[in-house]
Amino acid sequence: MHLLKRRYGCHSRPTTFITGWTIFVLFCIACYSVVFKSHASFPLHNKDAAGSPMKGGSIPNAPGVPIYVMMPLTSVSDDGQLKKDYDGKNISWILEQWKKLGVEGLMVDIWFGLVEKEPRQYDWKPYIELCQLMKSANLKLQTVLSFHRCGGNVGDRCYIPLPKWIFAVAENDSDIFFKDRDGSADDEYLSWGIDEEPVLMGRTAVQVYQDFFISFRETFREFFGNVISQVQIGLGPAGELRYPSYQLNKWTFCGVGEFQCFDKYLLGRLQSEADKHGISEWGHPPYAKDVGFYNSSPSETLFFRDDGGMWNTRYGDFFLNWYSNELIQHADRVLTAATQVFFDLSNPNNDFTGQFHLAVKVAGVHWHFRSKAHASELTAGYYNTRYRNGYSPIFRVLKKHEATVVFTCMEMKDNNQPKDCYCSPEDLVGLIVRSSIANNISFAGENAVSFYDVESYRQISAVSRSYAVTKGKPMEAVTYLRWPEPIDIFFQKDTLSILGQKFFDFVRSMAYDQAESTDFPGL
Ligand SMILES: *[C@@H]1O[C@H](CO)[C@@H](O)[C@H](O)[C@H]1NC(C)=O
Ligand SMILES: *[C@@H]1O[C@H](CO)[C@@H](O)[C@H](O)[C@H]1NC(C)=O
Ligand SMILES: *[C@@H]1O[C@H](CO)[C@@H](O)[C@H](O)[C@H]1NC(C)=O
């Protein structure tokens, strides 16, 4: 873990996978796609339990999609200072450039580990300063309340652990963190087994989150609506609503991952669920001999193999239902707390309805998507198989709280994925988009991996156009990962770099009715 302390610039809103050779492969693919532009298209063909296939046709004068840019992960330093100098360019000047070139706003991570260094003592100073600068620049801000550790996921060039006082609790009780079946604790995020257990120096995890929301509301109320346009709530590792089933120190793309419910709190909840149904003997997670290891392939395991796999038995269904429900209930509990804080109908001073959206990020687990069992989604907590839509139940909870789903992978193409992993980022994006529309929730997109190539811009553009056609209105926003470091990748002395021009062509084309745009003739 200390290796991670080497700080470069902190980064990341990772999603997915990737190590060693995969990064190399993706790099080659990125180069390849710059050279050979192929035709961007959206999977209009696949069907799912929730929605009908997408319609073709033209966009009815759709207004554009606002583009946001993610700030560097280390835009606030460990000692709580807002970073103001980026490779010799000051932040005010950079904000001016974003605005001038048509960007709607920025996204910033607000780190639990930096803000609440002592229980219930919050340091918001650098983020207030950022809001003031954003206001002067007339830019919007998507704030991400990041209750996870920065570091250890794809693209993470940072190390911001959870607060020290959480680790003081963990010294006595390591089960506050998720554990795999070897009992190895993952200190990226608190297990939702303690959402309702008052083990954090007298508070439950949900109370810790809610107190954080209240302090955030009191501090930032003047910025809601005019600056802050979205409040994303980090609901798991990497800020995504998922289990830490593919930790990069144990897992390589595209293993099935491992279930993470071996802390005593989740194990206890599983047993009581089984008892409740009169099937006490099912009150245990699947055994190692059946599910394999982080890096197993589905066909090597009794549980995940396509035909005759245990996933498709009554026990398998019982377990997977419970496992995914725990994740869904976590979203419901934290969103309930957030809704009470930000949309308090009994107190007009605390009711910010219409000023901003709450948002939740869902991970883009696209490997093994073409198999029947969808092993890697199952271990991540999405009970989504060829026969069952696992995202709709999540979206129903988001609908209940009028929260936006944020989904990544927008730039990814199937034909850039390794052949032997049954990947389909495009079909996954299609499923998520259709399920979000079927459940009438707002949708915002992101890319999963940093890129600068035109091909990837085209893919995002194609997805958002298909979205607008199907939904009849555009996506809430697309957030580009990420603010380039060094910044002169985009902004040179007095001019835009070539890569900068490509990015701003994309921003412009997204701002208009894309059906009539000539920037992307492929669409
Ligand atoms: C920021 O940089 C711009 C251009 O380099 C300069 O004109 C401006 O005075 C700087 N502002 C501050 C506060 O340093
Ligand atoms: C850990 O346990 C010890 C001994 O029971 C106790 O004195 C200490 O306060 C506990 N620490 C925390 C953070 O709960
Ligand atoms: C969809 O949700 C919005 C609120 O977000 C509501 O105004 C609208 O009536 C809903 N549409 C349908 C078809 O339920």
Side-chain angles (χ1 to χ4, degrees), residues 219-356:
T219 310
F220 292 92
R221 53 171 67 246
E222 64 173 297
F223 297 112
F224 290 144
N226 59 39
V227 175
I228 295 173
S229 57
Q230 187 190 80
V231 177
Q232 199 184 116
I233 306 211
L235 289 178
E240 298 169 331
L241 176 62
R242 64 169 172 86
Y243 288 86
S245 54
Y246 48 100
Q247 301 159 41
L248 290 186
N249 54 350
K250 300 184 178 129
W251 171 90
T252 43
F253 186 72
C254 54
V256 294
E258 287 192 15
F259 292 114
Q260 307 284 324
C261 54
F262 293 78
D263 65 79
K264 68 182 183 200
Y265 301 103
L266 284 176
L267 285 178
R269 294 175 64 90
L270 173 56
Q271 186 64 59
S272 27
E273 180 73 5
D275 294 345
K276 204 173 83 192
H277 289 85
I279 38 176
S280 302
E281 66 281 13
W282 283 357
H284 64 85
Y287 299 121
K289 66 180 173 50
D290 298 327
V291 288
F293 301 92
Y294 284 99
N295 295 319
S296 299
S297 79
S299 60
E300 287 167 359
T301 73
L302 284 175
F303 195 91
F304 298 116
R305 67 184 187 200
D306 266 359
D307 295 308
M310 285 173 74
W311 61 277
N312 204 11
T313 61
R314 283 184 55 224
Y315 163 74
D317 179 59
F318 165 78
F319 173 75
L320 292 168
N321 246 312
W322 170 80
Y323 188 74
S324 62
N325 269 332
E326 286 292 324
L327 169 147
I328 292 168
Q329 285 179 48
H330 172 63
D332 194 19
R333 287 181 205 117
V334 181
L335 286 173
T336 300
T339 305
Q340 283 165 0
V341 171
F342 298 115
F343 308 115
D344 177 357
L345 301 179
S346 67
N347 180 351
N349 287 331
N350 293 335
D351 180 7
F352 296 95
T353 305
Q355 307 288 296
F356 63 86

Side-chain angles (χ1 to χ4, degrees), residues 17-269:
F17 48 113
I18 315 183
T19 46
W21 69 272
T22 324
I23 292 179
F24 175 69
V25 169
L26 283 175
F27 175 76
C28 297
I29 288 163
C31 304
Y32 174 90
S33 29
V34 172
V35 180
F36 303 96
K37 299 175 191 165
S38 66
H39 192 84
S41 70
F42 192 72
L44 303 177
H45 51 273
N46 54 20
K47 300 176 193 70
D48 66 85
S52 52
M54 291 220 173
K55 297 173 294 217
S58 64
I59 292 198
N61 285 330
V65 180
I67 305 295
Y68 286 72
V69 176
M70 273 181 219
M71 293 190 74
L73 288 164
T74 47
S75 47
V76 169
S77 64
D78 286 350
D79 58 350
Q81 302 300 315
L82 180 68
K83 181 172 169 175
K84 301 210 190 74
D85 181 283
Y86 290 86
D87 318 297
K89 299 195 163 61
N90 66 52
I91 189 170
S92 312
W93 183 83
I94 298 172
L95 296 187
E96 230 172 77
Q97 307 312 304
W98 290 128
K99 178 69 192 179
K100 206 162 71 189
L101 292 158
V103 164
E104 178 84 1
L106 303 180
M107 175 184 274
V108 70
D109 283 286
I110 298 186
W111 297 104
F112 184 31
L114 294 182
V115 171
E116 193 176 354
K117 286 188 168 163
E118 300 295 332
R120 298 178 119 140
Q121 292 176 31
Y122 307 93
D123 175 15
W124 301 108
K125 201 171 61 7
Y127 300 106
I128 297 171
E129 203 178 345
L130 177 63
C131 280
Q132 287 160 342
L133 290 172
M134 298 294 288
K135 192 171 182 174
S136 322
N138 198 16
L139 286 165
K140 298 272 196 255
L141 189 62
Q142 296 173 326
T143 49
V144 186
L145 306 185
S146 294
F147 295 106
H148 61 284
R149 178 190 73 202
C150 182
N153 278 295
V154 176
D156 279 358
R157 294 189 298 169
C158 61
Y159 183 69
I160 305 172
L162 300 194
K164 283 208 177 67
W165 59 273
I166 295 281
F167 286 92
V169 174
E171 268 179 33
N172 284 3
D173 181 4
S174 60
D175 292 274
I176 65 172
F177 294 127
F178 289 105
K179 288 185 173 175
D180 63 16
R181 66 163 178 269
D182 288 340
S184 158
D186 175 61
D187 62 17
E188 284 180 85
Y189 189 81
L190 294 168
S191 165
W192 34 79
I194 61 162
D195 272 358
E196 296 178 311
E197 306 283 342
V199 295
L200 299 173
M201 300 183 173
R203 291 188 292 168
T204 67
V206 169
Q207 282 167 344
V208 168
Y209 302 136
Q210 187 159 26
D211 290 342
F212 195 93
F213 299 152
I214 291 171
S215 176
F216 178 77
R217 180 193 67 200
E218 293 312 305
T219 310
F220 292 92
R221 53 171 67 246
E222 64 173 297
F223 297 112
F224 290 144
N226 59 39
V227 175
I228 295 173
S229 57
Q230 187 190 80
V231 177
Q232 199 184 116
I233 306 211
L235 289 178
E240 298 169 331
L241 176 62
R242 64 169 172 86
Y243 288 86
S245 54
Y246 48 100
Q247 301 159 41
L248 290 186
N249 54 350
K250 300 184 178 129
W251 171 90
T252 43
F253 186 72
C254 54
V256 294
E258 287 192 15
F259 292 114
Q260 307 284 324
C261 54
F262 293 78
D263 65 79
K264 68 182 183 200
Y265 301 103
L266 284 176
L267 285 178
R269 294 175 64 90

